[in-house]
Amino acid sequence: MNQADVSKLVSKLRVKVLPKHRNLPGPKGPEGRIDKLRKTVTGLIKFERIELNYNRADEARQYAERLISEAIRHGDCHKPTMDTADFWLLEKELVHKLFKVLVPRYETSNLSYTRMYNAPRLQYGRTIDKVVLELRGNPFPDLLNNKSNNKLLIQNVLLDAAKNDYRQTKIAEMAKNIGKDIGTKQNTDSKLNEAPEKPNIS
Amino acid sequence: MIPRFTHVLQLMKNVERNLFHMFGYHPPKELALAYVHERKPVATPKKFSIKDIVGDGFLLAVPKFRRTIERKLKRKFGTPEYVWKMLVPKNHIKVCQNCGHHHEKRRLCENCYTKIKKETEEIQAQIKEKLGINPIEHDVVVLYKGETLPDQPKEFWKGKRIIEMKKERPQWFSKNLLEKTTQQPSKSTDVKPTDLA
Ligand SMILES: [Zn+2]
């Protein structure tokens, strides 16, 4: 077989890609779509966390992932990669950031380079869905900030103490009943023997 | 076929009558109508104008046509597939693990998110102020007031930019619950009264 392995030619994205792209309609047509995506990718690389509409974010995310994976794959001495970075990053100082900051940050990770969260919606009224798009490993506070598994969380400390108390009382109860248990068991055994046999119902 | 035949018959009758008329065969004068001609003034028809009816008053907009029952119900309740105007209970509300506010499932908690958003914007502004328009070649470490760099080998800090915030680290942004909190422990010696009831 002389066929090349496709997975080795193109870097596989670590995010879900729709079978068909979104058009992001506007007066400028397909050109305008690319312009919008370039602005979004530039903003994402620059600010590391942005909030925007779902469709545009999901579309731009794929391009950002591809750009970073290409940069990791080929490095900064590869002309086509450099051209791609030059095209997608409107502010040219971000090209330096891509190769000097983001590539070392993501080289060893096997997760996606970006994360996307659904932003809270208005309680009433109809709005367009917003999302928060961010690069992994940014210096900002964690959005999920989920500490529910932390042992030192006050609820968990209280729950642990309650569990311990319950266990202690149970053990004490069992210890008390050990002596009585044998006597009661003998009684029940004799009762069982005296009980008449039940008629077999078929 | 028959209408055409009667039509031809009618035509022939007309021709016959006209011929008789031409050669002086009139019907007898006794059968003529007695008619006196009188000239009447011709009244010019006046154009209809709504002002004749309303005068100095005014008109309200009123429905011109009856709304069918179906349209009425559609306007009132909407369509379940498109815009359903009835109040429908939301079954996907969850309680936030961090703050206890309610939020939609698979969506960020609004209370937490507004806090984090504000903090993020402050840090972003600080980074922008520090780095300016220089090429951003360094990773960023955020330090709050009164914090020192964690113990790490020197290679770890190589090529990192340290951004100092001019305030103390927010309590909810601490990495460890045993860290010092921004809230000082109270020194008041007041004791809550017991055995009141
Ligand atoms: Zn919350």
Side-chain angles (χ1 to χ4, degrees), chain A residues 168-187:
Chain A
Q168 292 301 330
T169 49
K170 276 283 160 189
I171 288 168
E173 235 172 65
M174 276 165 69
K176 229 184 231 175
N177 290 342
I178 278 174
K180 292 175 190 171
D181 225 29
I182 301 156
T184 49
K185 210 176 184 184
Q186 278 172 356
N187 284 345

Side-chain angles (χ1 to χ4, degrees), chain B residues 9-171:
Chain B
L9 213 68
Q10 198 66 39
L11 268 178
M12 283 171 66
K13 269 184 183 172
N14 276 351
V15 168
E16 190 192 9
R17 201 190 307 139
N18 286 344
L19 277 175
F20 277 123
H21 206 121
M22 273 171 68
F23 297 110
Y25 290 95
H26 292 292
K29 292 237 165 117
E30 289 78 26
L31 295 176
L33 277 170
Y35 172 68
V36 182
H37 185 69
E38 197 182 345
R39 271 193 119 182
K40 263 189 181 172
V42 184
T44 49
K46 215 182 163 191
K47 252 197 167 178
F48 172 77
S49 155
I50 196 77
K51 276 184 182 169
D52 296 341
I53 304 170
V54 181
D56 288 340
F58 58 88
L59 280 177
L60 293 174
V62 286
K64 276 186 177 173
F65 301 103
R66 176 181 166 270
R67 234 171 236 156
T68 60
I69 291 169
E70 192 194 349
R71 284 209 76 76
K72 206 162 32 181
L73 292 176
K74 272 273 185 314
R75 285 171 72 94
K76 200 170 176 184
F77 301 118
T79 322
E81 292 87 40
Y82 301 106
V83 182
W84 187 231
K85 297 184 184 177
M86 298 289 280
L87 293 175
V88 183
K90 284 185 178 178
N91 296 326
H92 61 294
I93 306 294
K94 295 186 94 184
V95 176
C96 178
Q97 290 281 356
N98 297 319
C99 67
H101 280 70
H102 293 89
H103 66 97
E104 280 179 84
K105 197 179 170 189
R106 301 172 68 78
R107 229 165 243 291
L108 295 173
C109 162
E110 194 172 4
N111 184 48
C112 296
Y113 179 59
T114 39
K115 269 195 298 189
I116 293 172
K117 192 179 177 185
K118 195 162 160 268
E119 193 63 32
T120 304
E121 276 163 7
E122 275 174 35
I123 296 176
Q124 278 172 347
Q126 193 69 22
I127 290 173
K128 200 182 171 191
E129 195 185 304
K130 184 89 183 275
L131 296 183
I133 54 162
N134 300 325
I136 308 153
E137 295 177 9
H138 305 288
D139 218 343
V140 163
V141 179
V142 177
L143 282 187
Y144 282 86
K145 200 173 163 190
E147 279 184 343
T148 48
L149 287 176
D151 293 330
Q152 293 280 0
K154 242 189 176 177
E155 292 89 56
F156 181 80
W157 297 112
K158 203 181 163 193
K160 296 220 173 190
R161 228 12 121 75
I162 289 151
I163 301 292
E164 280 169 358
M165 301 294 288
K166 284 163 192 159
K167 59 176 196 174
E168 295 205 344
R169 185 179 276 269
Q171 195 180 350

Side-chain angles (χ1 to χ4, degrees), chain A residues 47 49 51 93 97 100-101 105 118-121 123 129 132 139-142 144-145 147-148 153, chain B residues 90 97-98 104 106-108 110 113 116-117 120 123-124 135-139 142 172-173 177-178:
Chain A
F47 294 109
R49 178 180 287 173
E51 183 184 331
E93 66 260 21
K97 183 176 179 180
K100 290 179 185 168
V101 178
R105 194 195 283 179
N118 290 322
R121 249 193 319 208
Q123 277 191 0
D129 272 3
V132 184
F140 310 123
D142 190 13
L144 290 180
N145 201 18
K147 289 187 290 224
S148 57
L153 197 69
Chain B
K90 284 185 178 178
Q97 290 281 356
N98 297 319
E104 280 179 84
R106 301 172 68 78
R107 229 165 243 291
L108 295 173
E110 194 172 4
Y113 179 59
I116 293 172
K117 192 179 177 185
T120 304
I123 296 176
Q124 278 172 347
I136 308 153
E137 295 177 9
H138 305 288
D139 218 343
V142 177
W172 47 267
F173 185 19
L177 279 173
L178 289 176

